[in-house]
Amino acid sequence: MTFKSYQFKPKLWAWIVTTGLVVVFLELGKWQLSRADERNERHAQLEQLSKEPAVNIPASPITLKDFLFRRVEVRGRYRPEYTIYLDNKTYKGHAGYHVLTPLQIANSDWYVMINRGWIPTGYNRSELPEVPVITGETTVTGTVVSPELRILELAEPNVSGTVWNNFNLERFQQTTDLILQPIMIQQDGQVEDDLVRDWHKPDSGASKNIGYAIQWFSLAITTIIIFLVLNVRRSNNKIKQN
């Protein structure tokens, strides 16, 4: 193909490689967009679940999938001797802890972990802040989240104390011999215990997939541009005339 003084004569292998790469990049971009749609749809379903009336946590085995992001309530008795302070939690720029206390479900041997809220560390980190605990049976309401709360661990975790960097449900059960439901409840409502319960609601995460899709589509366009630049040359006749 010749246009004015330029020729476009790519070799067969160049056509094949370029076409293959462009198709792959486009398909990957479309796949990321489909993942974004799935995430948005899932997020919309979870938003709807969070607006429905609270359901009871039973004293029998449940799954995280059936209760994730649902509003729930559970009646039982706190076991403050097993309280965990989850470190490295900030609120409005201030360092603090999330206070996790297991609740024994009424009339059963089952427990459920309650994230009771945030409390500042105070001036002396060697002294843990005191948190009042309701004695006797109480009803806790809140939203179900995953019990696995993790940050980067550079060494084997030390589980002998009450301050943990990460919370792992299986590790906690092995340490305490308690039988826990595979969920965590972020407590809400007004409770006189000086804890902050300003929970951040996670977004769908679709924006990350859309960003990846844009990258793949950009690679497809870049591949086409490189293909054109490398295969467009001035014609020999024009060069000889000059």
Side-chain angles (χ1 to χ4, degrees):
M1 179 186 300
T2 303
F3 179 76
K4 294 185 178 181
S5 60
Y6 294 92
Q7 290 183 330
F8 180 63
K9 293 183 178 180
K11 298 184 181 298
L12 179 61
W13 66 266
W15 276 109
I16 295 174
V17 171
T18 302
T19 302
L21 288 175
V22 169
V23 169
V24 169
F25 293 151
L26 290 177
E27 288 301 316
L28 287 172
K30 289 164 58 178
W31 178 73
Q32 288 292 347
L33 289 180
S34 68
R35 290 284 295 142
D37 289 338
E38 291 174 4
R39 286 177 179 269
N40 282 329
E41 183 178 351
R42 176 62 174 164
H43 188 259
Q45 293 174 349
L46 296 177
E47 282 288 306
Q48 182 60 38
L49 287 175
S50 67
K51 297 175 183 177
E52 294 181 356
V55 297
N56 289 315
I57 298 297
S60 58
I62 63 174
T63 64
L64 174 63
K65 180 179 67 174
D66 291 337
F67 285 83
L68 186 62
F69 299 130
R70 282 183 176 271
R71 288 207 73 252
V72 297
E73 66 176 22
V74 58
R75 185 162 186 82
R77 191 182 300 268
Y78 278 118
R79 297 292 300 274
E81 66 270 28
Y82 296 116
T83 292
I84 295 296
Y85 289 79
L86 199 61
D87 204 356
N88 301 308
K89 299 299 180 181
T90 60
Y91 179 71
K92 294 184 177 180
H94 299 286
Y97 307 99
H98 279 182
V99 180
L100 314 181
T101 304
L103 182 89
Q104 184 174 8
I105 300 176
N107 303 317
S108 77
D109 295 325
W110 282 89
Y111 291 77
V112 60
M113 183 59 75
I114 310 296
N115 188 337
R116 298 168 56 201
W118 178 89
I119 193 169
T121 56
Y123 296 105
N124 187 357
R125 285 184 61 90
S126 64
E127 296 181 6
L128 292 175
E130 294 185 7
V131 182
V133 179
I134 298 175
T135 58
E137 283 200 355
T138 183
T139 298
V140 175
T141 61
T143 301
V144 171
V145 296
S146 171
E148 302 302 313
L149 304 176
R150 304 186 64 81
I151 59 173
L152 179 64
E153 284 183 332
L154 300 179
E156 286 297 319
N158 180 7
V159 298
S160 60
T162 57
V163 178
W164 292 19
N165 287 329
N166 298 315
F167 181 78
N168 178 276
L169 189 69
E170 182 178 355
R171 184 198 309 167
F172 183 80
Q173 290 185 124
Q174 292 173 351
T175 305
T176 61
D177 291 326
L178 301 181
I179 305 174
L180 283 96
Q181 298 284 18
I183 64 173
M184 180 178 291
I185 299 176
Q186 288 182 338
Q187 185 179 10
D188 58 24
Q190 298 296 323
V191 182
E192 298 298 327
D193 55 11
D194 299 324
L195 293 172
V196 178
R197 300 182 181 86
D198 185 10
W199 302 114
H200 171 70
K201 295 185 68 174
D203 61 19
S204 66
S207 58
K208 182 181 294 186
N209 295 100
I210 293 174
Y212 290 149
I214 292 173
Q215 292 179 10
W216 288 120
F217 292 144
S218 298
L219 283 173
I221 294 172
T222 302
T223 301
I224 294 173
I225 293 173
I226 293 173
F227 172 70
L228 294 174
V229 170
L230 294 180
N231 289 282
V232 173
R233 297 180 177 85
R234 296 188 67 180
S235 63
N236 293 330
N237 290 337
K238 184 67 177 179
I239 296 174
K240 289 178 180 179
Q241 291 175 7
N242 293 336

